[in-house]
Amino acid sequence: MKNCISKPINRVDAPAKISGKAKYIGDIHFENQLFAKTVRSARAKAKIVSIKTPTLPDDYYIIDKNDIPGINRMRTVVSDHPIFAEDEVNYIGQPILLVVGPEREKIYEIVSQIKIKYKDEAAIYNLEEAEVKKAVFTEYSYSKGEPKATFQHAERIIEDEYRTGRQEHIYLEPQGITGDYKDGCMYIYGSLQCPFYIEGAIQDVLGWDSDRIRIIQSTTGGAFGGKEEFPSLMACQVAVASIKTKRPVKMIYDRDEDIICSTKRHPSIVRYKAGLNKNNEVVALDIDIKFDAGAYSELSPVVLQRGMFSATGVYNFPNLKVRGRNFMTNNVPSGAFRGFGAPQTIFSTEMLMHNIAVKLGTNPLDYKIRHLLKRGYPTCTSGKIRDEVKLPEIIEKVEKMSWYRRKIGKHKKFKGVGLSLFLHGCGFTGKGEATIKGKIILKKNGDTVTLKVSSVEMGQGAETCLRKIVAHTLSLPMKKVICETIDTGLIPNSGPTVASRTIMIVGGLLRQASLELKDRWNDANEIEISKTYKHPDFLSWDDDKFEGDAYPTYSWGTNVAEIEIDPVTYEIDVKKITAVYDVGVPIDEKTLEGQIQGGIVQGIGWATIEVMNSPKGKLTQHNLTDYKIPTSMDVPEIECEFIENPYEFGPFGAKCAGELPFVGAPPAVAAAVSNAMSVPIRNIPITPEYLMELDKHED
Amino acid sequence: MVDGFRPADLQEALEFRARHPSIPIAGGTDLMVQKARGFGLKPDFNKPLLFIGHLRKLRQISVRDGNIHIGAGVLLSELIINDKISEALKMAVRQMASPPSRNLATIGGNICNASPAGDTLPYLYAVDAKLILKSVSSERIIHIGKFITDPKQNTLEHDELLTEIIIPNKIFNVSYYKKVGQRKGMSLTKASFQGLADIKNSNVLDIRIAFGSVAPIIVRSREIEASIIGKPVSEINAAVPEILKKYATLIRPIDDARSSAAYRKRVSLRLLEDFLSKLS
Ligand SMILES: Cc1cc2nc3c(=O)[nH]c(=O)nc-3n(C[C@H](O)[C@H](O)[C@H](O)COP(=O)(O)OP(=O)(O)OC[C@H]3O[C@@H](n4cnc5c(N)ncnc54)[C@H](O)[C@@H]3O)c2cc1C
């Protein structure tokens, strides 16, 4: 029987968004506001020799590195990105200065008169060059079992290499931030995911305590990770500008500017050496992961970690050696994007398993089943799979829904079926949750309950689901449970809205607080309860050795893709995706299905049509004419089901769900293409251009 | 200098054209993109705009002497639902842009924009469409192939407007169209192919072949078409390698952000081959 919490309700944010009443940062007028336009580097790597600026008319300003009272770096995992360039630039699009003033036309005129002289230096344009030049930001490794000895005795060794491409988020609303310095305080408004990340970044740049800084979220039109660290940079810039001009400063990108300078999904190359035993099972695996981090490291180390800890997918490889490296290139920086490093390695490992199976002449699903993780098994980092792994049920269900085995048996050229199995580690990686110690507050006032969290609504349905968790626990109608405005002056720091952690971690705290409030409901008219996250004692993690439980638990899934390829043009038509997930217990099936459909479509885009090259540090596809994401016409039929598997520490048994649906579609589609064309697929995006090359020997 | 003029009728529009240097704007779906300068800024028009999208005279579709006359201001969405328009043209138009853009975009704009990726062009070249160009004092009729000279270049005079497109009265019983884009909707063409043929008693009475997006202008060769006309369909198969070879020299695509020259060329020839294989 389905859990009652899963029954769909209407999204609380829908009426304002559908009617157009919702106010995005571009809709909000600030009295006396000024606009800002960024002057950016035109060079991939160069010294700035001189900057010539025209005489500025009244009310127009130039803001640059000299205006920063504190540290000229954006605070994040590695605080290496300058707020404004100093004497050098490291990528095309890097911010150098702002021109600020009341009229946009005049601002553009001033921008066009600014002359920057560069002295070019040798740049690094891609992973291959970076490896030769040893331009490494971060290198990690871990191992398990006896990989060396096992390889020596392996019956067979298979080596292979996989590549994935750059991806841009294309959130519907481009980046936009306003800074307002008033009465000695800094107010930042904007489209953002992580209010307290911005607070910290502003502290560094202004050298202030947090009590003079308030970050206030405006309605946010999509983010996908693209508004995790990037808005901190813009916020620091407008904050400095507002102090200098003593007026609110608004900076909103149009799409082209947004694409040129915002973070992207890390392009990757993953190399494997697989050792097979006499039953042809993979018993030893050597994985070498390379990510293109772009010009600055920022939060790439954590992206790489998730990539490394997800690299074994749903499989148990007893002997394992994993090396991961983030390379420095003179490309636009890579950053957070739904899946956070895991989609790259899961794609590669899924395709490795698929390609080995095909090579051995076995059914890929049967081959994968022989390697599956089970409860009690060690994880790749020698932690423990503590909860039941319902992959057998998941596979059985998807098989009934899609007839995968029957369809793969009846193979016809240009028609294919492919299956992926995947997982996603719930919440922050490693020590993350234990360090952040998310805090929430629940406040009862009469018959109304206000929940105070820093988890934001950005289109994903967080507000609906968090309120629903509290309303259900207290048996209150939704309208009696409200969310405090996302304003760091009013809310505690429950952590950033990332890592699929909102429902499981923050929702989990809310559930605990609601249960307590339920007990104390009649004690007083006003009751305030606060809760702080405590990492379960049984989880252990060694951050130096990468040993232990990288994640508290995992969500699981499978996708079956059915595709057709145009025999003349090689265009891929994804006809249907059948999906089954174990996300614990869905908090709201409709909201979750929204995440699933969106994730699948975004994954199909990455796997097939989203090409973003940067040949000499300059993006070839830098507008929506050339960079294509799927439209409604490209969306296949999507059928999805859930297997319930309640998680003890999640609210109503819920685990993570936001990133998981993205992860599964690319390897399923690639496996289907491989099936249709009888060629191994090793790279995405699988464009018709690439497929035609692969199939060339055919005619 | 005026910023823009909205004439009451075609006559007024032509008079304005005669007196002022101007930029005609119909749906603006090409112009507004090309002239955009950035968020919150006025587009970059160096001459006054002449609004023509609303002119009744330009929005009619009629049949005269068996030929179809399409007003230059007819919307793409109107072409799709009009029963005088051939299925072949509708097929191309249905795959252009998106429903909202098709409610603004005009066939005249697509022609005058003169992009090698203009999706009505392969059909219009294939059927030998003629254009009526009017000024206050003159009118000329010109073959579409003579009008478009280079990418973004046409022979429109500063005082003229394109008023009508004439589709000659001619029936083709085989039609084949394929647009290759990056995705199914809202996508500019990487390569397109229009094939039309009139087959009677297993003989090729007429054949028209046009390629889009694979050369500076639409590729069509009367010479190669003439070498196929008159052949019994049974002989086409044997002639295919020779025909492909001839077209291969005319197809000169480029590498760009959306595709590669190699792909464009191969896919064009494969489409041609597929079309020819369907004749017999
Ligand atoms: C999102 C989007 C998707 C698109 N997809 C496609 C596509 O799939 N295929 C495709 O071919 N095109 C596509 N286009 C381009 C465009 O929509 C078409 O070319 C359209 O037909 C142009 O018509 P318009 O009326 O909007 O032209 P306008 O922009 O008004 O004009 C285009 C040019 O023609 C001139 N002009 C217009 N009418 C006349 C006239 N009567 N006499 C003289 N000069 C004239 C103008 O001065 C201008 O130079 C797309 C555009 C957008 C914005």
Side-chain angles (χ1 to χ4, degrees), chain A residues 560-582:
Chain A
V560 170
E562 291 169 63
I563 62 119
E564 278 176 35
I565 292 168
D566 187 311
V568 182
T569 64
Y570 293 94
E571 293 162 290
I572 299 170
D573 189 357
V574 181
K575 292 286 184 195
K576 185 172 178 186
I577 301 279
T578 311
V580 181
Y581 302 96
D582 158 13

Side-chain angles (χ1 to χ4, degrees), chain B residues 24 26-31 52 96-97 105-106 109-110 112 117-119 162 179 187:
Chain B
T29 60
D30 273 318
L31 275 176
I52 55 170
M96 290 172 72
T106 64
N110 197 241
C112 294
D119 284 328
L162 167 64
K179 162 173 173 160
S187 181

Side-chain angles (χ1 to χ4, degrees), chain A residues 65 68 70-76 78-88 90 94 200-206 232-233 236 296 298:
Chain A
K65 60 177 199 287
I68 293 187
I71 307 164
N72 184 22
R73 291 291 180 279
M74 185 191 90
R75 187 200 285 188
T76 180
V78 178
S79 305
D80 62 345
H81 196 301
I83 305 300
F84 294 112
E86 290 163 358
D87 52 353
E88 58 168 33
N90 285 301
Q94 180 170 348
I202 299 275
Q203 275 181 270
D204 283 2
V205 165
L206 301 185
S232 293
L233 184 65
C236 292
Y296 291 97
E298 304 183 60

Side-chain angles (χ1 to χ4, degrees), chain A residues 193-402:
Chain A
Q193 264 179 276
C194 310
F196 284 95
Y197 279 2
I198 299 182
E199 186 188 87
I202 299 275
Q203 275 181 270
D204 283 2
V205 165
L206 301 185
W208 291 6
D209 288 335
S210 62
D211 57 352
R212 287 167 65 202
I213 302 164
R214 284 173 85 153
I215 315 299
I216 301 141
Q217 186 212 15
S218 46
T219 307
T220 297
F224 308 113
K227 293 170 186 170
E228 177 167 344
E229 73 278 31
F230 191 82
S232 293
L233 184 65
M234 293 175 76
C236 292
Q237 295 169 342
V238 293
V240 173
S242 183
I243 288 177
K244 184 164 180 176
T245 61
K246 303 192 177 54
R247 286 166 71 174
V249 175
K250 193 184 222 180
M251 182 156 67
I252 296 182
Y253 292 165
D254 56 28
R255 182 65 68 184
D256 294 14
E257 181 172 19
D258 188 299
I259 293 180
I260 286 166
C261 67
S262 67
T263 52
K264 308 281 175 276
R265 185 184 299 287
H266 293 69
S268 80
I269 301 177
V270 186
R271 265 204 80 80
Y272 294 88
K273 189 167 106 182
L276 277 56
N277 65 13
K278 62 177 184 317
N279 300 324
N280 279 327
E281 282 148 5
V282 179
V283 286
L285 195 59
D286 185 320
I287 312 178
D288 186 15
I289 302 161
K290 297 177 233 177
F291 283 173
D292 179 348
Y296 291 97
S297 182
E298 304 183 60
L299 46 66
S300 292
V302 200
V303 176
L304 179 62
Q305 287 178 22
R306 190 180 275 273
M308 291 173 71
F309 306 152
S310 307
T312 50
V314 298
Y315 309 111
N316 174 43
F317 302 116
N319 305 288
L320 185 65
K321 191 168 156 255
V322 180
R323 170 159 82 146
R325 280 172 294 169
N326 273 331
F327 286 93
M328 199 282 292
T329 64
N330 295 100
N331 290 315
V332 62
S334 304
F337 198 149
R338 196 179 203 169
F340 212 72
Q344 289 92 323
T345 55
I346 291 202
F347 166 80
S348 303
T349 301
E350 274 302 283
M351 293 317 292
L352 174 80
M353 294 297 279
H354 176 93
N355 290 335
I356 294 177
V358 171
K359 203 172 194 169
L360 296 171
T362 51
N363 175 314
L365 176 57
D366 293 333
Y367 186 68
K368 288 175 178 181
I369 286 175
R370 283 154 61 189
H371 298 80
L372 292 186
L373 283 168
K374 295 189 178 81
R375 182 186 217 154
Y377 277 24
T379 65
C380 57
T381 51
S382 308
K384 198 166 156 190
I385 300 284
R386 291 195 169 72
D387 304 305
E388 197 185 341
V389 178
K390 292 206 170 181
L391 281 172
E393 290 90 333
I394 289 173
I395 291 167
E396 192 191 319
K397 187 150 210 162
V398 87
E399 169 64 5
K400 272 203 191 119
M401 289 162 69
S402 69

Side-chain angles (χ1 to χ4, degrees), chain A residues 104-105 108 252 254 566-571 573 609 620-621 625-626 628-631 633-634 688-689 692 696 699, chain B residues 37-42 178-188 190 257-260 263 266-267 270-271 274:
Chain A
R104 286 201 170 101
E105 289 286 351
Y108 270 68
I252 296 182
D254 56 28
D566 187 311
V568 182
T569 64
Y570 293 94
E571 293 162 290
D573 189 357
I609 60 174
T620 314
Q621 296 77 11
T625 308
D626 294 335
K628 293 293 189 213
I629 63 168
T631 65
M633 296 210 16
D634 301 278
E689 286 79 2
M692 191 178 265
K696 222 168 184 174
D699 53 31
Chain B
R37 287 170 54 225
F39 181 49
L41 301 176
K42 278 195 191 151
K178 175 75 190 175
K179 162 173 173 160
V180 188
Q182 283 156 291
R183 62 181 176 200
K184 285 186 202 158
M186 282 265 271
S187 181
L188 292 185
K190 291 178 185 177
R258 297 191 281 275
S259 187
S260 68
Y263 174 80
R266 270 171 64 86
V267 88
R270 287 171 72 103
L271 286 165
D274 195 43

